[in-house]
Amino acid sequence: MRNAFCEAMVGVAEKPEVAFLTGDLGFMALEPLRDALGRRFINAGVAEQNMVGVAAGLARAGWRPWAYSIAPFIYARPYEQLRNDVAMHALPVTLVGNGGGYGYGVMGATHHALEDYAAVLALGGIRVLVPAFDSDVAGAVASILGQSRPAYLRLGLDGAPKDFERPPFEPWRRLIAGEAATILVCGPLAGGLVGAIRDLPQERRPSLWLVSELPYGELPEAFLADVRRRSWPTWPPRPTSSSSRSTWPLGAWASGWRETCCSGACRHAGSRIGTPSATRRAATVPRPSTAGSAASTPRRFSRRSADADRRQEA
Amino acid sequence: MHTNLSRHDLARARLRLLQMHFEAGVGHIGGNLSALDLLMVVHHELMRPGDAFVLSKGHSAGAIYVTLWTLGRLDDEALKTFHRDDTLLAAHPPPAGLADVMFATGSLGHGLPLSCGLALSRKLRGEEGRVWCLMSDGEWNEGSNWEALIFARQQGLANLTAIVDLNGLQGFGTTAEVADLRPLATKLRDFGWDVEEVDGHDAAAVAAAGRREGAAPRAILATTTKGRGVSFMEDRMEWHYLPLTADLYEQAVREVRAAADLPSATAG
């Protein structure tokens, strides 16, 4: 994804407010960007705290600075600079972490960043963009530049089969339709899943959803519909019939959440999560229309983004 | 060497700072008194349009508020809110709301990298304007400052001046006891900076050092006295923390007035 990222950045290099800082990384990858940006490409050395502070200073002076390193080095080492200098001032600095999650694999534990976007999101007011495919990166870069806010761009490895037709970058996408469980994935893990499930027979094939921007706001209606509708395949496989269909709590949970969770004063009253019997009941009892309750359900998952918006306005 | 700041100007600022801290009943007075003369010189004598100032030693926010008061950028009503609920004038500077305060500081080791960003911006755009950063001596314990030293030299940030308030005392001991960096001037020169050492309470000397320019980033090491101007505070670590009693406040005011030959009856 590094090359796709470089290409995407070269594509926006003509914007005079774009500046790029690297923590001494990018050999055999970012040279075209260095050439395109000239003096606006700065190797800040192996000094990430200073680099993020410098980026905040540049942003305060009207620049759109990008600061690049391996994922754990760009968010964890300068975490206080991210917190105080960037997030606290809502400055439009973008941190770019290459190899987020387990992306660096056998390179060793110090290079993993399984917790990166959880830690970044905890600060509030920072958008996290997680492209899943090389073809996503330009869209993610454009999305970041489309808003004047702090952002974390987490790069990984596009692992989808070559012939898979990658849909254009969006915060939410359904990659594969199926009748079995609904899977929601964040980031390049999606590619491996595509390879694993796309050839399954339809009744055993999960519906695969991909989220590429966090915090993700309200869950899309189509995703919820999938969650309600789909069931996990039984294991070991049993003869399929509508009467003996086994289900997994997720579908019941999602429908229960829409109908009861956080509505009125009860707060999670009559939890629908958990027991197989409750699950079966939820799956077989005809459900009342959710239209009314949906309208009155507080937007539990959108609260963070609302906070972020307020912070931004302030 | 020349300054338009009279000792009366500096004494009036000192009195206003003492009054503000007394009325709020809070500490951090010692480090504010050591930094105040430097802040007054930077803002009254050295800064020009296009310049920027970053207070890296955020615990001297009181001194910057009072300096802005001397410039007419904050009024008495604003200073009355110092350290109170809902104020913008917290013990450390706010992230937004005060046009003259660019960054919320208070965690040490942030101001110099931020200043490097502001200086780099001016250099990349070919803009005039100098970036001034006031630092404490204790904060040289922070590694980020040494990263910034390397960066500023590497990027040729000759438009950056760091002023270090060398009062010799830090949070829980003298700088010599805690993390002895003497001689700091030698260390900074070895990092490729132009370094000048001055008496931080000699306004004319600070102004002269600030006006000089060179091809490298500049550091002015200003030797100061924590609690400057108040006998019982000078060089006493506890005045990093203690608030003033009424009796001590009266004594402090008397001493500052007497030292500047200000009549005791005249309001500061």
Side-chain angles (χ1 to χ4, degrees):
Chain A
M1 222 174 260
R2 281 200 314 174
N3 293 330
F5 173 65
C6 183
E7 205 172 297
M9 290 304 297
V10 168
V12 299
E14 65 187 23
K15 292 177 186 289
E17 69 275 19
V18 169
F20 194 91
L21 299 147
T22 174
D24 200 29
L25 287 162
F27 179 63
M28 298 278 282
L30 298 185
E31 287 84 355
L33 181 60
R34 184 180 63 191
D35 296 342
L37 285 171
R39 294 169 67 227
R40 293 181 286 139
F41 184 100
I42 295 135
N43 187 343
V46 193
E48 295 82 7
Q49 296 178 52
N50 177 68
M51 177 165 70
V52 174
V54 167
L58 284 170
R60 188 71 173 74
W63 293 79
R64 292 298 307 254
W66 300 65
Y68 174 91
S69 189
I70 297 172
F73 309 161
I74 197 62
Y75 97 83
R77 183 61 169 262
Y79 194 61
E80 195 187 59
Q81 279 76 13
L82 178 62
R83 174 186 181 274
N84 291 12
D85 303 346
V86 177
M88 211 172 269
H89 300 87
L91 288 169
V93 171
T94 302
L95 301 190
V96 185
N98 192 35
Y102 196 60
Y104 269 80
V106 294
M107 292 293 282
T110 55
H111 285 48
H112 302 158
L114 300 172
E115 71 296 324
D116 57 349
Y117 61 71
V120 168
L121 288 170
L123 295 177
I126 304 178
R127 300 174 71 198
V128 173
L129 288 103
V130 191
F133 313 115
D134 288 348
S135 54
D136 282 353
V137 180
V141 166
S143 173
I144 287 168
L145 287 174
Q147 295 185 28
S148 184
R149 293 174 58 187
Y152 174 55
L153 175 62
R154 185 205 221 216
L155 303 178
L157 187 68
D158 182 344
K162 284 198 169 51
D163 62 343
F164 175 66
E165 192 169 326
R166 292 148 171 83
F169 181 78
E170 288 287 339
W172 282 87
R173 283 169 284 181
R174 180 163 62 192
L175 299 178
I176 288 179
E179 291 186 3
T182 299
I183 298 176
L184 174 61
V185 62
C186 178
L189 284 174
L193 281 166
V194 166
I197 67 176
R198 64 175 176 170
D199 295 328
L200 289 172
Q202 184 171 334
E203 71 276 9
R204 291 189 51 218
R205 187 168 64 229
S207 169
L208 179 60
W209 281 81
L210 172 65
V211 63
S212 300
E213 176 170 353
L214 305 165
Y216 49 67
E218 195 160 16
L219 298 171
E221 207 43 60
F223 167 72
L224 287 170
D226 262 6
V227 172
R228 287 190 207 100
R229 194 162 48 239
R230 313 298 173 191
S231 60
W232 281 86
T234 55
W235 192 264
R238 279 185 274 166
T240 306
S241 82
S242 58
S243 61
S244 68
R245 196 161 64 143
S246 165
T247 59
W248 192 259
L250 184 60
W253 171 78
S255 58
W257 170 66
R258 293 296 281 184
E259 287 159 23
T260 65
C261 186
C262 299
S263 61
C266 62
R267 297 291 173 201
H268 318 287
S271 170
R272 311 277 286 269
I273 305 173
T275 65
S277 59
T279 304
R280 258 180 234 113
R281 210 164 45 241
T284 53
V285 173
R287 229 171 271 125
S289 161
T290 58
S293 61
S296 62
T297 302
R299 295 179 175 187
R300 185 181 173 202
F301 287 93
S302 64
R303 197 170 144 190
R304 153 92 61 192
S305 61
D307 282 348
D309 290 342
R310 271 197 296 280
R311 179 186 291 251
Q312 185 62 21
E313 285 159 16
Chain B
M1 295 200 288
H2 167 76
T3 173
N4 292 315
L5 276 174
S6 71
R7 62 198 180 109
H8 285 184
D9 295 331
L10 296 171
R12 287 198 183 93
R14 191 163 255 99
L15 289 167
R16 192 65 185 84
L17 187 134
L18 288 167
Q19 180 194 343
M20 186 177 79
H21 281 79
F22 174 64
E23 287 173 356
V26 295
H28 271 174
I29 306 171
N32 276 296
L33 287 173
S34 71
L36 184 62
D37 293 339
L38 297 169
L39 284 163
M40 289 288 286
V41 173
V42 168
H43 283 82
H44 284 272
E45 295 288 298
L46 295 173
M47 285 182 73
R48 290 164 299 190
D51 285 10
F53 175 79
V54 176
L55 183 71
S56 194
K57 53 172 305 197
H59 54 287
S60 287
I64 191 76
Y65 303 150
V66 167
T67 302
L68 294 173
W69 172 82
T70 66
L71 291 163
R73 308 278 299 180
L74 286 177
D75 58 18
D76 282 308
E77 287 304 305
L79 291 197
K80 269 185 201 161
T81 70
F82 176 61
H83 230 289
R84 314 247 182 232
D85 284 349
D86 293 332
T87 186
L88 276 175
L89 308 190
H92 298 90
L98 293 181
D100 300 290
V101 172
M102 299 195 76
F103 296 103
T105 48
S107 177
L108 297 172
H110 285 250
L112 195 57
L114 291 165
S115 300
C116 284
L118 297 173
L120 178 64
S121 168
R122 284 161 173 74
K123 185 177 164 85
L124 288 175
R125 290 184 177 139
E127 293 172 350
E128 295 291 315
R130 176 162 287 274
V131 181
W132 305 88
C133 180
L134 182 65
M135 309 177 68
S136 74
D137 46 6
E139 80 171 297
W140 284 95
N141 300 180
E142 295 279 7
S144 51
N145 288 325
W146 300 89
E147 295 183 5
L149 278 183
I150 298 167
F151 181 87
R153 190 268 179 95
Q154 191 70 31
Q155 300 299 325
L157 301 181
N159 55 353
L160 171 63
T161 299
I163 302 175
V164 186
D165 179 5
L166 286 167
N167 62 33
L169 285 167
Q170 57 185 95
F172 198 13
T174 67
T175 52
E177 288 165 349
V178 177
D180 195 352
L181 289 166
R182 293 172 300 176
L184 186 59
T186 308
K187 291 180 174 65
L188 301 192
R189 282 193 188 105
D190 284 348
F191 276 77
W193 282 51
D194 288 342
V195 180
E196 196 158 342
E197 297 176 90
V198 299
D199 172 354
H201 300 298
D202 180 342
V206 174
R211 288 195 193 99
R212 277 191 277 280
E213 296 189 0
R218 289 179 61 75
I220 298 173
L221 305 189
T223 303
T224 60
T225 304
K226 197 153 189 165
R228 167 76 175 193
V230 181
S231 62
F232 56 87
M233 288 188 190
E234 290 197 353
D235 278 332
R236 306 280 302 206
M237 192 167 55
E238 60 264 37
W239 286 100
H240 187 89
Y241 304 103
L242 290 178
L244 281 163
T245 62
D247 286 346
L248 289 175
Y249 174 60
E250 291 301 324
Q251 183 186 337
V253 168
R254 271 199 310 276
E255 288 182 13
V256 172
R257 286 187 177 284
D261 293 325
L262 279 174
S264 57
T266 313

